[in-house]
Amino acid sequence: MKASNHTLYGTETWWKMITVGLMTMAIASLFMYIWTRKRLWQLAAKLPGPTPLPVLGNLLAFAGCDLIQFFQIIMKLVDKYGSIVKLWLGQDLFVLTSDPVALERILGNKSFIKRTGYVTKLGKPFFRNGLLMSDGETWRLHRKIISSTFHNNVLDQFVSNFSKNSAILVNKLRNYSNGTTFDVYPLISLSTLDVICETAMGTQVNAQLDDDGEYVKNVLKSVQLLGERFMRPWLSTDWLFNLTELGKVQAATLKYLHGHAQQVVAEKLEKFKSGGKQKTQLEDIQSLRKKKLSLLDLLIEDEQLSPEEIHDEVVTIVAAGSETTATTCSYVLALLGVHQDIQDKVLEEQNIIFANDFYRCVTYEDLPNMPYLEQVIKEAMRLFPPIPYLFRMIEKETDLGNGYVLPAGCYSMVISYATHRNHKYFPDPDRFDPDRFTPENCLGRHPYAYIPFGAGRRMCVAYKFGIMEAKTLLSTVLRHYRVVDLVGGVSSLVNSLESGVVLKPASGFNIQMSPLMLKNQFRQLNKVKNIPGPLALPFIGTLYQLLGADLSQCFKKIILNTKRYGKIIRLVFGNQLLIVISDPDTIERTIGNKTLIDRAEIAKINVKTVFGDGILLNSGETWKTHRKLLSGLFHNNSTENFLVSFSKYSAVLADNLAKVSKETIFDTYSYVLPCTIDIIIETLMGAKSNLQTPVNTDLSKQYNKVLHYIAHRAKRPWLYVDFIFKRTKMGKTLENILIYVYDFTQGIINERKVEYNKIISKEENNQTKYLFDVLFESGEVTDREILVESFNMMTAGSETTATVFSFALVALGEYQEIQDKVMEEQWSIFNNGINQPVTYEDLQNMVYLEQVVKEVLRLFPPVSYLFRRVVDEDIDLGGGMIAPKGSDIGALCTNIHKDPALFPDPERFDPDRFSPENSYGRHPYAFLPFGAGRRQCIGSRYAMMELKTMLSVVLRRIKVVRAIDGLKEIENNLEFGLIIRSAIGYKIHIETR
């Protein structure tokens, strides 16, 4: 019993000792905490601010509030207590600061580069150890390296990218330019995301063209997630946050984004190593422009950062560089909707810079000439700074110079919104006045009174990049559209401001826009007053002539205008000036001008929806790159490979035609188009479609409908706006058709991709290169661009050939003597061999057949117009006439081909016009079936070989007994669209030989 009591007594003693020890440690820790915090509390007590509660501080003031209410509470505190306000968030002291004098002591202190622990904790999963989150020596080294990548010469090469993506934005805005109210921010944010991904990472995410893409969705989601967690301080504990649904979504989002960035960095590193680690001199601007390097490329070439560090910095740049610029541009457009007089001044400046062309791309040299636009941007950033708060950890006691002292260990929270509305530095601060930022008005202003990009050592490293991008985007948009109104006025912005990652209105930037009626359009018409043409009415121009007309009547009316007004006339389609030329000398000066490579706007209006940014419509560096790559297809592939496919599929066509009874009247086109599609898919795509076995007319019908709708839309100016067109029955039908044909094209690409991967795995380098191979291996073309270019090539290469072939059979059916001459030549080559395939040598001997094909192309050129845009300067057309900058030029091939001075008795079908002796001395621009100048069809030789092969194989199997409708009848029923086609078909009688 005594032993038991002794044991119990010993246990109690130990528990008492442990309890006393813990209490002693707790009391000591408490005294130590009080001692170390004493000075902080003493100085905090002297700062103005709301009374805190024990432990919680002022946290309850923010309980349950959203991002809008959070910002409103902050601003009410500033209004109540002034430019210095203390806030206790739990046991952490935050000091709201907005006085420029105090800011200089904080932001200008070289020792204060750390951000708050809370902000760093929340931002770390997103930005890791990038410039936004790092500090100390890591931050200093990284900032120095990254600053060097924003060299002026690097920024110079980025402007073309700014312009390209701004042009895409302009096209997207067309859907909203009918006065409808819409939030402009989502559209602009996709444009700035495209820019930052292409310039920072060197990768195209095509956010504007595919806003439902995986990368785009995750980037936008990440911004939202960061703001939502910021407003929930109880989720600052990682393990607790990770258990929530929000935490799981964030983990999945960041896994994707960081994985994508790691893959891009790894690929760029491998490319750099395999290229011999060649470095670029930033002073060599020509080399920079040629290489088109991204910031990622420059960081890799620098070789001072590890792959992980490069990854972190690239992710940071992408995140920081997209939202801020998008927000700023949205504020500018919204404010210009309220202040129309300021918008007018912006346009006056743009008029001076761009003279008579409001459509050319912005260049690096243009940007310094936009001082007023820059003032507008700066004033918008003054009223609505994109970054709502700037945080600094105060590491040592700091006298603010205004009677207050910040204790060491507190956090400064700079409220730039309040700083920018300080009456002392900005009188009448709520007024929008860009003149505040004229050089004379900026003189003497406190350097910390305006801090939209931060200040001190942590000032935004890419501020010049941001301003240049904003100027380029706004210049491009404002030269196409006018901001008519900001719905709800400025109060709609101010009353719903939410302070998430950026400061923006929760209700959106709801504006109304309309197409810009420019003064320079009247100047253009004044410049072309010497060029005859029909009366142009406001808004619709000369399109009233085409109202109510069918497609064949539209074509006839345009031809009648040229007969009435001459070989150089002017037409106005909506607001776009078009100069139509039928004179070969003038065409040589215009279409033959090597500087004119841009497609005309009039050519893009209705076909952009169909052909996207493919080689048929794109321009500038993109066009040059893609054309160079695609041209290689017609040099690298062997002629023998082409001819084998030409003969094989032509034989199938001949078989199908031979099955048609000679009593049957049929339209040959429905048989021919599947053949030309089969040919182009095998020869250029390296795949097989087999549309002729059996004859599959479904795809052919869809192609026909596409061309039909393009033509119908062309003469309906009210359908030029995509927003309206897509809501019509025609627009909805076309959208479904495009899904079908693009899916078909993607299937062909996928088939080739499988075959290509097999070849690569076997390291067989001597294989024939096809379209996918060439574009994919270039490393300069995205998957989306491969799809678009494939569709462009398949459509252009099949439709035109099928049309010319069909016209040829009709001509031979009408002119039996010419068909007989063709056959005499064929039998002499093939020695009466009906099924003999065609060789390259055979083609060389088909002289008369080539004359027949050329005569068909003369009478019925598949592309009736050759369009160009006058970009850089006015072009002298001769005779006192000029084509002003910003106008479109259209060479009317049909008129040139039927000019009696060039082709006597032009309506007669006579292949001998193209005999060597008759062709000698003819004007080089008198015959333009494949275009002219730098945009001449890259597949013209291919097309001629294909047509001769098809005609040779088919005509040796069947005879065209007669044409139901002669060439004259067809000419009276031509359909004017993307290509010239017969509106009554190509009906013939045939019999087998």
Side-chain angles (χ1 to χ4, degrees), residues 157-284:
Q157 63 145 353
F158 286 160
V159 176
S160 62
N161 184 281
F162 299 162
S163 290
K164 180 192 78 171
N165 284 299
S166 297
I168 296 173
L169 172 62
V170 163
N171 189 52
K172 299 279 283 187
L173 287 171
R174 187 178 293 149
N175 298 333
Y176 304 90
S177 62
N178 58 348
T180 186
T181 300
F182 71 103
D183 182 3
V184 74
Y185 178 80
L187 295 170
I188 294 180
S189 66
L190 293 175
S191 179
T192 56
L193 180 59
D194 272 341
V195 166
I196 201 65
C197 287
E198 291 168 25
T199 56
M201 294 194 297
T203 59
Q204 292 184 315
V205 298
N206 294 315
Q208 296 185 89
L209 301 177
D210 182 16
D211 58 3
D212 198 40
E214 198 67 24
Y215 182 81
V216 176
K217 287 192 293 187
N218 279 283
V219 168
L220 299 178
K221 193 187 298 179
S222 68
V223 175
Q224 178 186 353
L225 289 168
L226 188 56
E228 288 185 13
R229 189 181 182 190
F230 180 81
M231 288 309 304
R232 295 169 172 81
W234 57 90
L235 294 180
S236 61
T237 304
D238 286 341
W239 69 265
L240 180 61
F241 174 69
N242 293 336
L243 293 175
T244 66
E245 185 62 30
L246 193 65
K248 293 173 183 176
V249 172
Q250 177 175 300
T253 301
L254 295 183
K255 181 181 180 181
Y256 177 86
L257 291 177
H258 286 305
H260 178 272
Q262 285 168 350
Q263 182 181 348
V264 172
V265 171
E267 289 173 355
K268 292 280 187 180
L269 272 168
E270 181 58 34
K271 185 177 180 181
F272 176 60
K273 291 175 183 177
S274 62
K277 294 191 175 183
Q278 293 184 355
K279 297 189 178 183
T280 306
Q281 297 299 319
L282 296 184
E283 292 73 21
D284 185 356

Side-chain angles (χ1 to χ4, degrees), residues 547-566:
L547 297 179
D550 61 29
L551 296 177
S552 60
Q553 291 171 333
C554 286
F555 185 71
K556 289 177 185 176
K557 288 187 177 184
I558 291 173
I559 297 296
L560 284 173
N561 274 326
T562 62
K563 290 180 178 179
R564 178 179 179 183
Y565 295 105

Side-chain angles (χ1 to χ4, degrees), residues 284-336:
D284 185 356
I285 191 167
Q286 295 303 323
S287 177
L288 277 171
R289 286 176 175 173
K290 185 177 180 181
K291 289 187 175 182
K292 296 182 181 177
L293 295 178
S294 65
L295 297 173
L296 171 56
D297 293 315
L298 294 172
L299 290 176
I300 288 173
E301 287 187 7
D302 189 70
E303 294 189 289
Q304 294 191 63
L305 302 181
S306 69
E308 291 75 20
E309 290 173 322
I310 292 173
H311 163 277
D312 295 350
E313 296 303 350
V314 168
V315 169
T316 298
I317 291 170
V318 169
S322 172
E323 292 289 312
T324 49
T325 307
T327 305
T328 297
C329 291
S330 299
Y331 277 121
V332 170
L333 293 177
L335 290 166
L336 291 180

Side-chain angles (χ1 to χ4, degrees), residues 606-871:
N606 299 315
V607 297
K608 191 84 170 178
T609 305
V610 176
F611 295 104
D613 288 312
I615 193 169
L616 293 181
L617 297 180
N618 60 23
S619 55
E621 290 302 317
T622 301
W623 174 79
K624 291 175 184 176
T625 300
H626 288 204
R627 182 179 174 89
K628 183 178 180 181
L629 292 170
L630 294 173
S631 296
L633 290 171
F634 301 98
H635 297 295
N636 298 333
N637 284 299
S638 67
T639 303
E640 288 74 15
N641 285 342
F642 284 153
L643 289 176
V644 168
S645 299
F646 292 167
S647 292
K648 177 176 67 174
Y649 289 112
S650 297
V652 178
L653 172 62
D655 288 341
N656 289 332
L657 292 177
K659 296 173 185 175
V660 180
S661 168
K662 66 179 181 180
E663 286 80 24
T664 302
I665 297 173
F666 71 100
D667 186 347
T668 182
Y669 185 81
S670 59
Y671 286 84
V672 179
L673 184 57
C675 175
T676 57
I677 295 175
D678 274 347
I679 288 174
I680 202 161
I681 285 175
E682 182 164 296
T683 56
L684 295 188
M685 305 295 294
K688 289 180 171 57
S689 54
N690 297 319
L691 297 181
Q692 297 188 91
T693 50
V695 177
N696 182 346
T697 59
D698 188 41
L699 184 66
S700 308
K701 289 177 181 177
Q702 303 308 321
Y703 271 149
N704 278 331
K705 287 179 182 178
V706 169
L707 299 179
H708 183 74
Y709 286 146
I710 288 173
H712 272 279
R713 188 183 179 191
K715 66 187 187 70
R716 293 169 169 81
W718 56 91
L719 295 182
Y720 285 4
V721 180
D722 286 342
F723 177 81
I724 298 175
F725 176 70
K726 288 180 178 179
R727 281 156 179 75
T728 65
K729 183 179 179 181
M730 185 191 300
K732 293 174 181 177
T733 304
L734 180 59
E735 184 177 2
N736 290 330
I737 293 171
L738 290 177
I739 291 172
Y740 175 86
V741 294
Y742 267 97
D743 282 349
F744 174 82
T745 307
Q746 186 62 61
I748 296 298
I749 293 172
N750 293 341
E751 181 183 332
R752 177 57 196 167
K753 192 181 292 185
V754 171
E755 187 63 27
Y756 175 81
N757 290 330
K758 290 180 182 177
I759 294 170
I760 293 299
S761 65
K762 296 177 182 178
E763 298 183 356
E764 298 176 359
N765 298 322
N766 60 342
Q767 295 291 318
T768 301
K769 296 292 186 184
Y770 294 98
L771 186 143
F772 169 79
D773 312 5
V774 171
L775 296 182
F776 179 76
E777 290 174 0
S778 73
E780 301 180 58
V781 185
T782 65
D783 287 345
R784 173 68 185 176
E785 288 175 323
I786 291 175
L787 173 62
V788 171
E789 293 296 9
S790 299
F791 178 72
N792 274 240
M793 295 292 284
M794 285 169 56
T795 305
S798 59
E799 289 284 347
T800 51
T801 308
T803 303
V804 175
F805 183 91
S806 299
F807 276 125
L809 290 189
V810 171
L812 294 176
E814 182 175 359
Y815 294 90
Q816 290 293 320
E817 71 280 7
I818 294 176
Q819 185 174 183
D820 291 341
K821 286 187 69 174
V822 168
M823 294 316 300
E824 285 178 18
E825 182 180 70
Q826 291 300 304
W827 298 137
S828 69
I829 296 170
F830 295 99
N831 195 23
N832 294 326
I834 292 179
N835 297 317
Q836 197 171 327
V838 177
T839 67
Y840 183 71
E841 290 72 22
D842 295 333
L843 289 179
Q844 301 299 101
N845 294 322
M846 296 181 191
V847 178
Y848 190 71
L849 180 59
E850 184 164 326
Q851 291 175 203
V852 170
V853 173
K854 287 182 177 179
E855 179 67 349
V856 171
L857 287 166
R858 181 187 70 83
L859 286 173
F860 305 103
V863 180
S864 57
Y865 271 106
L866 303 179
F867 287 111
R868 296 291 187 276
R869 183 161 187 77
V870 183
V871 176

